[in-house]
Amino acid sequence: MTSEKLHADVVVVGSGVSGGLVGALAARAGKSVIILEAGPRVKRHDIVETYRNAPVKLSLANMKLQGAGSPYPSMPYAPSTYGDYLEQLGPVPFKTSYLRVVGGTTWHFGSALWRLIPNDFRLQTLYGRGRDWPISYADLEPYYCRAEEELGVSGVDGQDEGGNGGGTFPPRSKPFPMSGLPAPYFFQRLPEQLLPAGYHPVLEPNGRATRPYGQRPVCAGNNNCNPVCPIGAKYDGTRHVDQAEAHGATILPNSVVYRIEDDASGQIVAVWFKKPDGTEHRVTGKYFVIAAHAVETPKLLLMSQTRHSPNGIANSSDQVGRNLMDTSGISMGMMAAEDMWPGQGPTELLVYLNARDGEFRKNYPQYKTKLRNVVPTSQIASGLLSKGVVGKELDKQIRLQSARSIRWAVDFEMLPLPTNRVILSAEKKDALGLPVPAIQFDIDDYWKAGREAAQIDLKRIAGALGGEVTKFGLKPENRQHPSGTTIMGSDPKNSVVDEWCRAHDHKNLFIAGTSVMSSSSCMNPTLTAAALSIRIADTIISEI
C-alpha cells in the first residue's frame, strides 16, 4: 500500500455526468473534492481521429466490432462493455454499452434530456404497477431547471411532452436555457403526413448547443453524435469534471475503486482503489458519493463485504443490484413512398408520445416511438451486393434506399423486478483480479403486452405514410438506459437509498446516477439523474 495521504471533504467515485456534477458543485462551494475514475482521460481529437479512420462506422458502436466500431479505449484494468466484459446469466441478454473513461458514457450518448412526468412518480398508486417514488415531480422540478442550465439543454418551449398536442407539459417554472434545434426536412415532412392520423410531433430536449454555451460551439449537424461529437457542441461529463478541477478538485484517472470501508457506527471512512500496476491506495473523506454507473455501482457495493456490512455496503435490505431496469424496446424498418432524406442534423430529435400516459398503464407500459435520423449506407450497399446488384442499378438502389429508408424504434417503460439484477461473477475476473458484473435479466408479461400494442401502432404509422414495412425487430433491444439497481424508497427494508439518495445504512454515503430511480419510465434517464445529483450536492454542501 502506498504511504500517500489522500483525503477530501467529498470523495466521488465515477466521473460521468452525476459524479462530475456533484464534484463541480462541491468544489465551486469551496469544499475539497477528489474524483476517482476507473478509466483513462481521453482527448476529443484522438477519439475523432480514431473514428475517422475506422473501417466500420456505426451510430451505436457494435459490441462485436470492438476496435472497428468503437473509437474509445477498452483497458484491461477497466474494460468497456463492447467486448465480453459483462457476464450474461439471464434468458435475455442485457447488452448495455457504457464507457469507463473520464466523462463517462455521456461521451457517446445521443444527448436526449427528458423530464419525467408527474404520473411517473406514482405508478403504483395510479396504476397498480411497480413502485411509487418517495418524492414527487413537484419536489424535483426546481432541480430539473438547474440540471437543464448546468447541462445546457436546448428545447421547444410551450411543447406538450405528453404527446397530446396541447400546452406546456409537464409543468415548468423556467424556460429551456436554449431554443430548440432547427428541424431538417425529414423531421418537417414526416409530421405533415402523420398529424392527420393523430400523431403529434414532439421535438426532444437535448444537450446540443443552439448558441455558444460555455465553451461549447453551436451544433453543426455532423450526424455522428453517437459515438462522438467532433466539435464538442454536445454536452458530456468532462464539462463538469473540468469545472471541478478548475475549482481545486483532484481528478484521479486509471483508479479502479474496489472496496468501501465502514466502521462500527455505520460511517464510511475510506475507499480503496487499484492502479493498473496493481498497487493499492486508500482515500479518506467526510462524505462519499458513488456515481459509478448503474452496473458498476452495485458491483462495487457488493464487493465491499466488511465485518460491519457482511452482505456488502448499503445492502441490509438485499436490494443492491436488484430491480435492474432499462427502456428495452423493439424496432421497425420501412421504405417511404417518397424521398425523405434522413441523415441531416442530429441522430435523434423527432419522437411520438401518444402512449406516454393513461389508464392503459394498468395493462401495458408507456412507450416512446422515435425516429433514427441515420442513413446506414454501407449496410444498404452490402445488402444489395449480397443480392448480386451491381453497376448502375447498384448506384440507383443505394440512392433510392438512402433517401427513403426510415428506421423506427420503440422504447418501453420497465417494472422494477427484484429477479432482474446485477451480481458478482463467481468465476470471471478482470485484469486486476476483480469479479466482473454478472447480469440476470428477463422481460415480463407487462412488457410483452406493450410489444403487442406498439406493433399495432407501428403498422398504423407505416400505413399513414403509405410506406412498406421491410423489417420488424421484435426481440428486446437494449437502449443503454439502465436504472434501479440501488433503488430509492422510504422503507429501509425494501430500498437502498432515501429520498435524498442517502444510503439508509450509512449517513455519509450517497449514491448518484440512474441506479437510484424508483421507476424507469420510457424516457432517457440522464436529466433525472442530473437533477437528483444536484440535490445530493446541495445536501452535502449544507452539512459540511
Side-chain angles (χ1 to χ4, degrees):
M1 185 186 76
T2 181
S3 60
E4 181 183 8
K5 299 287 187 181
L6 294 169
H7 178 85
D9 292 331
V10 186
V11 177
V12 182
V13 179
S15 67
V17 57
S18 293
L21 263 171
V22 173
L25 293 174
R28 283 189 219 161
K31 313 305 178 185
S32 59
V33 175
I34 294 175
I35 300 177
L36 299 107
E37 168 57 50
R41 214 162 189 168
V42 297
K43 296 180 179 178
R44 188 176 306 277
H45 65 80
D46 291 336
I47 301 304
V48 172
E49 198 60 25
T50 300
Y51 179 68
R52 190 194 310 276
N53 295 321
V56 177
K57 294 180 174 65
L58 300 172
S59 174
L60 282 172
N62 191 317
M63 295 182 189
K64 296 179 181 179
L65 296 170
Q66 172 63 30
S70 172
Y72 295 94
S74 180
M75 312 307 292
Y77 57 87
S80 77
T81 57
Y82 291 110
D84 61 354
Y85 171 59
L86 300 176
E87 183 176 13
Q88 304 288 345
L89 301 179
V92 175
F94 192 81
K95 295 182 178 180
T96 191
S97 301
Y98 57 89
L99 300 174
R100 299 175 78 185
V101 296
V102 172
T105 303
T106 46
W107 268 100
H108 77 183
F109 83 144
S111 92
L113 293 168
W114 293 94
R115 297 181 176 205
L116 301 187
I117 58 176
N119 285 355
D120 290 339
F121 293 84
R122 304 175 61 218
L123 195 60
Q124 173 58 225
T125 295
L126 295 175
Y127 306 119
R129 296 286 185 172
R131 297 191 186 204
D132 288 346
W133 290 60
I135 59 175
S136 67
Y137 175 83
D139 293 327
L140 202 55
E141 200 281 332
Y143 296 95
Y144 272 136
C145 292
R146 289 174 60 187
E148 288 167 346
E149 292 169 359
E150 290 286 347
L151 274 58
V153 178
S154 57
V156 179
D157 287 318
Q159 186 172 230
D160 180 1
E161 293 177 9
N164 298 310
T168 302
F169 186 79
R172 305 178 58 89
S173 58
K174 288 185 177 180
F176 285 105
M178 288 182 278
S179 60
L181 288 162
Y185 174 77
F186 176 40
F187 289 159
Q188 296 177 43
R189 177 58 182 146
L190 193 141
E192 290 175 353
Q193 296 176 301
L194 287 181
L195 191 58
Y199 292 94
H200 297 278
V202 180
L203 296 180
E204 71 180 8
N206 61 80
R208 304 179 190 93
T210 56
R211 60 177 173 83
Y213 199 89
Q215 296 180 332
R216 287 156 54 193
V218 175
C219 174
N222 283 285
N223 198 242
N224 51 265
C225 314
N226 302 320
V228 61
C229 176
I231 63 173
K234 184 189 74 172
Y235 174 83
D236 64 71
T238 62
R239 301 294 177 179
H240 281 100
V241 172
D242 291 347
Q243 283 184 34
E245 191 170 43
H247 285 84
T250 298
I251 314 302
L252 297 177
N254 305 309
S255 301
V256 183
V257 177
Y258 68 96
R259 182 155 64 96
I260 304 170
E261 180 183 340
D262 63 349
D263 64 17
S265 70
Q267 288 287 103
I268 303 301
V269 295
V271 296
W272 293 73
F273 67 92
K274 291 187 179 185
K275 299 298 282 185
D277 61 6
T279 57
E280 299 178 346
H281 308 258
R282 185 172 183 259
V283 186
T284 59
K286 295 179 181 178
Y287 284 80
F288 294 83
V289 180
I290 310 301
H293 188 271
V295 172
E296 293 295 321
T297 288
K299 172 192 149 183
L300 172 59
L301 298 174
L302 292 170
M303 283 196 299
S304 302
Q305 297 174 2
T306 73
R307 182 161 57 93
H308 311 295
S309 301
N311 295 324
I313 292 295
N315 196 30
S316 64
S317 63
D318 189 35
Q319 293 301 300
V320 169
R322 294 186 183 275
N323 307 300
L324 175 62
M325 297 175 282
D326 189 77
T327 53
S328 295
I330 62 173
S331 60
M332 178 182 77
M334 62 168 288
M335 287 288 288
E338 62 181 80
D339 293 349
M340 289 287 190
W341 299 112
Q344 176 193 358
T347 50
E348 53 184 77
L349 186 62
L350 176 64
V351 304
Y352 288 93
L353 301 173
N354 289 49
R356 189 167 188 188
D357 194 36
E359 287 296 307
F360 68 84
R361 292 174 81 177
K362 293 179 179 178
N363 302 311
Y364 63 87
Q366 64 169 200
Y367 58 86
K368 170 178 65 175
T369 305
K370 61 188 181 183
L371 275 298
R372 300 283 198 196
N373 187 30
V374 294
V375 184
T377 310
S378 61
Q379 292 163 282
I380 291 171
S382 296
L384 290 166
L385 287 169
S386 69
K387 296 176 182 177
V389 181
V390 295
K392 291 183 178 180
E393 185 61 22
L394 174 64
D395 183 65
K396 175 184 175 182
Q397 288 300 318
I398 289 175
R399 292 175 183 275
L400 177 67
Q401 293 187 31
S402 295
R404 298 192 177 189
S405 290
I406 300 179
R407 300 169 69 187
W408 295 86
V410 174
D411 297 357
F412 295 106
E413 162 186 42
M414 291 196 74
L415 299 178
L417 305 177
T419 51
N420 284 344
R421 62 189 302 199
V422 178
I423 61 174
L424 304 177
S425 174
E427 300 178 356
K428 190 175 178 182
K429 291 180 169 50
D430 65 19
L432 292 176
L434 304 176
V436 306
I439 299 182
Q440 299 173 343
F441 190 71
D442 201 0
I443 56 172
D444 60 2
D445 289 340
Y446 188 65
W447 188 95
K448 292 175 183 177
R451 177 172 58 187
E452 295 304 312
Q455 270 186 267
I456 295 170
D457 211 14
L458 287 172
K459 290 176 181 177
R460 183 168 176 257
I461 286 172
L465 294 172
E468 174 191 355
V469 176
T470 57
K471 183 180 180 180
F472 263 116
L474 298 179
K475 292 183 178 179
E477 299 171 355
N478 190 278
R479 295 290 187 245
Q480 330 303 327
H481 303 149
S483 63
T485 49
T486 60
I487 202 160
M488 180 192 294
S490 55
D491 186 349
K493 294 180 181 178
N494 64 16
S495 59
V496 179
V497 300
D498 66 12
E499 63 182 286
W500 300 101
C501 302
R502 190 195 304 262
H504 290 299
D505 299 347
H506 314 279
K507 298 308 178 185
N508 67 334
L509 176 67
F510 290 80
I511 299 177
T514 60
S515 65
V516 302
M517 293 175 63
S518 303
S519 65
S520 69
S521 93
C522 64
M523 311 307 285
N524 312 59
T526 305
L527 189 71
T528 299
L532 293 168
S533 298
I534 293 172
R535 287 178 99 233
I536 291 172
D538 281 1
T539 303
I540 291 174
I541 291 167
S542 71
E543 293 184 7
I544 293 178

